[in-house]
Amino acid sequence: MSNPEDDATTPRVRAGVDQPSSLNPSWTPKLRRTNIQAEEYIRGILQGDRVRLSQAITLIESKQTQHQELAHTIIEGCLPHSGNSVRIGITGVPGVGKSTFIEALGQNVSSQGRKLAVLAIDPSSQISKGSILGDKTRMAKLSANPQVYIRPSAAGDSLGGVARKTRETVILCEAAGFDTLIIETVGVGQSEVAVHSMVDFFLLLLLPGAGDELQGIKRGIVEMADLVAVNKADGDNQQRAKRAAADYRNALHLFPPKSSNWEVQVLTCSALSGQGIAEIWHLIEEYCTFTKAKGFFQGQRQSQARYWLHETIQQFLQEQFYHHPQVATLLNERETEVLAQRKSPFHAAEELVKVFLGLEK
Amino acid sequence: MSNPEDDATTPRVRAGVDQPSSLNPSWTPKLRRTNIQAEEYIRGILQGDRVRLSQAITLIESKQTQHQELAHTIIEGCLPHSGNSVRIGITGVPGVGKSTFIEALGQNVSSQGRKLAVLAIDPSSQISKGSILGDKTRMAKLSANPQVYIRPSAAGDSLGGVARKTRETVILCEAAGFDTLIIETVGVGQSEVAVHSMVDFFLLLLLPGAGDELQGIKRGIVEMADLVAVNKADGDNQQRAKRAAADYRNALHLFPPKSSNWEVQVLTCSALSGQGIAEIWHLIEEYCTFTKAKGFFQGQRQSQARYWLHETIQQFLQEQFYHHPQVATLLNERETEVLAQRKSPFHAAEELVKVFLGLEK
């Protein structure tokens, strides 16, 4: 049986870095030395070995070609064993109490015998090389819970890259037996779209601040939510939280119905006191039953897989294009001409793509 | 001085088709016969020659390489003379009265001595090869107005293609002296985004049907509007229109402020009676003054040019990718494997892009 303390042996690797070999030199040579094959990883993961799981995730995060190839093989070995889970996305502006909420929900979930993995997509970690989940003290109880696995956000040079790594991590966690996945992100922009496209259920946490609150949150994010939870409904805030929930409920009527036909709920809760947390978990289970009965649950996962296939094709094409040496040189020149109204953006685009594909010198 | 009747000589060309040579055989041979050079086109357009303008637009719409090359040269000759205009996007669901509204606004605009060009982006014309503006009787007065030039939506095999052609048509119209551009589209989806990214001012037309109305309109479209006009505020509808306008005004408070700092207005109008039309034009002028004073107007046009450069690069890359014979063969196979959970979407994407770029057999 694995122990949560096992993870503590590879803390710097778990912080999610692009070049683990340079940050954690002790580990990669060990990998080479023991020449562990993909089969061993897969067997370890399927047996719920967390050290093996953590190491495999580090391979996913690595930029080294040999690591990536090994990771592909491991993932494809785990894929047939993945999927038996509920994937929950959680977002909200900084200060809304996401960590405390995830602690409360996570403790509730694990007390029911479920195995929980908490992941994160944090675009800001691209800059800081840190992570919103880096500080384990943020979720002290969950970190000490043997049913729970916490993995900080991967770093990367693009949101697409970070999202890809997180989605592949989901596969490995599921193969390792985690049946409940929480993917956290901050409510500031594109990262929500990435999380939304890899989860079954999307939860938006809000503060009891009524309508003004929505100002800080992109409209599209509200539209993605399956549940809006007004957190910090404790003490003096209880009445304000109820009023805010009523306001949101009215506002949500203006939205088109969801393709799942699920009616978006608005609840109040207090991650601090635990009020409302059980109801929220109950609602998530209800959602799963509702959408599985109609085939929507599985259908959405298939659409998501298709989405990531085509989204990644686009990402790779653009990466290759913008890193092409000749294109990079010409691009600035063409952009200047476009902005000076000397060249049409379409003509400039056509010329650059031809250069990229070697159709023009 | 050009005459609106000139246009009547090339009605089928103006209907916007991809292969004008097959639909209007009399014209392309004439082009070849007389070997008109780009300079002649440019000179004609700058002199306000509408026949030349229409022919040049047809070149933009043509798929023949020689036409496209000629079009590029014409556009680049016109670019330095373009931009001195206000570009207005108008959208609204079918039945909201867009044609009548454009007639009313257009007559008002031209009565002030301005020269108006009306264009359209209509994704449905991709199927029908027709156009929402194909029926000139829809705008009988404007069609007969010598200050006004109406050009139906180009057809094309993608919205991106249609949008590109429309944006290049804007350049030619401006070079031909049109200082007011209206670009119409139907309120059903992506075409609004395309129109929004090529106009200075975006007007959303709604019916006096209160909140329910928003259901039919994508939330993002309301967010793009600089002005919401509740049309058909005549007869029995006047009170309902006022109530609807008040509702929208309240709903708009929930939206984040626009980057222009312009406060979105909600007005009622009747395209039929003419009530409110002058106010709307006045508001558009006010918007231009407001955003030009702050540099936002010009800044937005530069962002739009940059947007189209990178958007078109992406479009071209994808077109080339999905039309690549080897990729097309492999794609179905890989997609099946991804949906059957035998392959990760990311790994499949990587393999396909390598095949496309010739990095793998």
Side-chain angles (χ1 to χ4, degrees), chain A residues 337-357:
Chain A
E337 287 176 320
V338 164
L339 295 182
Q341 293 201 45
R342 286 200 303 272
K343 206 177 249 309
S344 128
F346 307 104
H347 191 196
E350 197 185 322
E351 285 180 350
L352 290 165
V353 171
K354 278 185 182 165
V355 167
F356 173 64
L357 297 176

Side-chain angles (χ1 to χ4, degrees), chain B residues 1-18:
Chain B
M1 182 63 194
S2 67
N3 184 307
E5 294 309 308
D6 290 347
D7 292 327
T9 59
T10 53
R12 304 193 61 190
V13 176
R14 289 180 70 236
V17 290
D18 284 328

